[in-house]
Amino acid sequence: MTDLRIGVIGYGLRAPLVAHAHQPGRGSAVVAVADPRPERRELAESTFGAFTTPDADELLKADLDAVFVLSPDHLHVEHALAAFDAGIPVYLEKPLAITVADADLILARARSSGVKVYIGHNMRHMSVVRTMRKLILDGAIGEVQAVWCRHFVGHGGDYYFKDWHAERAKGTGLLLQKGAHDLDVIHWLAGGYTRRVNAMGALSVYGRVTDRLASPQYKTGHDWDEYRGNWPPLAQTGLNPVIDVEDLSMVNMALDNGVLASYQQCHFTPDYWRNYTVIGTEGRLENIGDTPGSSVHVWNRRHRGYAEPDVVVRIPEAEGGHGGADPRIVAEFLGFVRAGGATLTSPVAAREAVATGCAATESLRAGGVVVDVPALAEELVAYYERGQVE
């Protein structure tokens, strides 16, 4: 098998992901990396022996078979369109874009250029999500009627408020940037897409922190040993000079299939995990922890008051980042580049997560008014449901 020649645009926080694509002699190799920061280019060159450049356009001339676009969110549209123009299949990190118009433009241009696009919603490959979805498909709780997600972002002040994530201009808001994962999972578990939202939120804590960086910086990783002493949240230091996004948000959603859902996100909790509750016509399930070795609990008999679960399903052990999701999603993308076919991730679903996040942010900033979520053009839905085949 000839190795696929892989390029990378943006060698920052998601840099560990592309290590799974560097398997010289076994199907793929990272041969080119573009990043504006000299230290990141040096790291990529020493890690992969790759050609490096500060210029994404220069990278796209490097005879590539596929490219990972891992740049900051506001650059996704620019880099994806350039790759389409170069005829190179794209792995585009979530969120697809930071506006609905740009998300729709990306999907339309991918179709018109005939170039494959794959969106990096890796939570569809996480063991906890796969476990919950299998239980739902197996009928463990009947027909889904409600999905609730509480997202405790314990390191929000250590990361998301110390770089570009804190700026509306570069990400719209954390209800989209961080919530895109969960909005997609809610849709997947519920079997439908959001068509109407209302939301509330605030910059409750980090707007009060006055210790700021003199100029914006880019975080390139998470370091628990560094974060451990950063408590309480109001004692944080070195925050981004611009902070105009919310650190607390809540959104209610009405889906096209009648399911009701809610998503709650807080960036100043002492713990960091996601808790999903899915309620059906014959029971409910809930994950207790979201890492391998944790569990999903199912209640599907009548009980009076609190009761121990009727069924406990352990989340399988898995190797690799994000509960085994990272190696799985890279393998799926590379297989899609080679042979096409169905994938767990979905460009349409990725667009619907962006549309929901944008509508929710609009509602939040307008005082909680109800906002309709626009649907994707039917011809684009059909194209992507066919597996990107005309």
Side-chain angles (χ1 to χ4, degrees):
M1 180 190 303
T2 303
D3 285 346
L4 295 172
R5 291 173 54 83
I6 306 299
V8 181
I9 299 175
Y11 196 64
L13 178 66
R14 291 295 279 147
L17 178 74
V18 296
H20 300 292
H22 189 60
Q23 304 177 46
R26 294 179 291 159
S28 59
V30 175
V31 300
V33 175
D35 196 289
R37 297 161 293 180
E39 69 276 11
R40 301 305 294 176
R41 297 197 301 273
E42 291 172 7
L43 178 60
E45 187 172 355
S46 64
T47 301
F48 305 118
F51 159 72
T52 63
T53 174
D55 185 356
D57 289 335
E58 187 68 22
L59 175 134
L60 295 172
K61 300 175 183 176
D63 188 26
L64 301 175
D65 296 302
V67 62
F68 284 78
V69 174
L70 309 180
S71 49
D73 297 356
H74 65 291
L75 298 175
H76 284 185
V77 63
E78 172 189 338
H79 292 150
L81 297 185
F84 299 154
D85 289 343
I88 302 171
V90 176
Y91 177 109
L92 185 57
E93 186 55 77
K94 72 85 206 164
L96 171 59
I98 66 170
T99 68
V100 179
D102 279 349
D104 290 358
L105 174 62
I106 289 171
L107 296 191
R109 284 282 293 277
R111 181 193 182 190
S112 65
S113 66
V115 176
K116 293 175 180 175
V117 62
Y118 181 101
I119 315 304
H121 274 282
N122 65 339
M123 280 191 67
R124 290 195 176 209
H125 288 272
M126 284 179 63
S127 296
V128 61
V129 175
R130 287 154 58 117
T131 298
M132 290 189 292
R133 180 165 164 83
K134 184 177 187 306
L135 284 165
I136 291 167
L137 293 178
D138 287 347
I141 59 170
E143 299 175 8
V144 174
Q145 299 298 306
V147 184
W148 306 335
C149 176
R150 298 181 300 162
H151 192 180
F152 310 109
V153 190
H155 61 215
D158 306 298
Y159 181 78
Y160 295 101
F161 288 85
K162 288 188 174 179
D163 76 350
W164 60 266
H165 294 82
E167 301 180 34
R168 293 185 185 188
K170 295 179 180 176
T172 295
L174 290 164
L175 191 51
L176 168 62
Q177 201 290 326
K178 189 63 176 166
H181 274 313
D182 299 283
L183 296 173
D184 178 57
V185 170
I186 287 170
H187 289 161
W188 203 38
L189 297 180
Y193 294 130
T194 300
R195 295 278 68 96
R196 191 170 73 254
V197 301
N198 82 298
M200 299 290 286
L203 179 56
S204 298
V205 171
Y206 295 117
R208 292 188 272 162
V209 175
T210 59
D211 191 301
R212 305 289 181 88
L213 296 168
S215 60
Q217 296 182 10
Y218 285 84
K219 296 282 284 183
T220 56
H222 296 304
D223 185 344
W224 170 243
D225 290 333
E226 173 191 340
Y227 298 167
R228 191 185 301 271
N230 294 342
W231 193 261
L234 284 171
Q236 278 282 358
T237 60
L239 299 190
N240 197 63
V242 176
I243 297 179
D244 59 2
V245 299
E246 297 77 16
D247 53 17
L248 178 64
S249 55
M250 308 173 188
V251 55
N252 296 315
M253 296 164 272
L255 278 60
D256 53 13
N257 60 356
V259 173
L260 299 180
S262 67
Y263 172 65
Q264 303 165 30
Q265 181 188 99
C266 182
H267 283 262
F268 46 89
T269 58
D271 49 347
Y272 181 39
W273 65 295
R274 294 168 166 94
N275 170 255
Y276 289 94
T277 295
V278 185
I279 303 173
T281 55
E282 299 176 18
R284 74 176 179 95
L285 62 79
E286 178 179 358
N287 66 297
I288 308 300
D290 57 7
T291 57
S294 301
S295 58
V296 176
H297 293 186
V298 178
W299 290 263
N300 54 17
R301 294 185 301 122
R302 292 300 302 273
H303 299 279
R304 183 174 181 179
Y306 175 78
E308 293 300 314
D310 300 303
V311 179
V312 175
V313 181
R314 295 295 173 188
I315 300 170
E317 296 293 337
E319 295 184 2
H322 294 91
D326 285 356
R328 290 170 181 157
I329 200 169
V330 170
E332 182 173 78
F333 170 63
L334 296 176
F336 179 63
V337 170
R338 285 191 179 277
T343 59
L344 280 186
T345 67
S346 159
V348 173
R351 183 271 184 193
E352 292 292 347
V354 169
T356 301
C358 287
T361 302
E362 178 185 343
S363 170
L364 181 158
R365 292 175 184 165
V369 299
V370 174
V371 175
D372 291 330
V373 180
L376 182 63
E378 291 183 4
E379 61 269 22
L380 287 176
V381 173
Y383 171 74
Y384 287 102
E385 288 183 348
R386 291 194 300 269
Q388 302 185 42
V389 176
E390 290 291 1

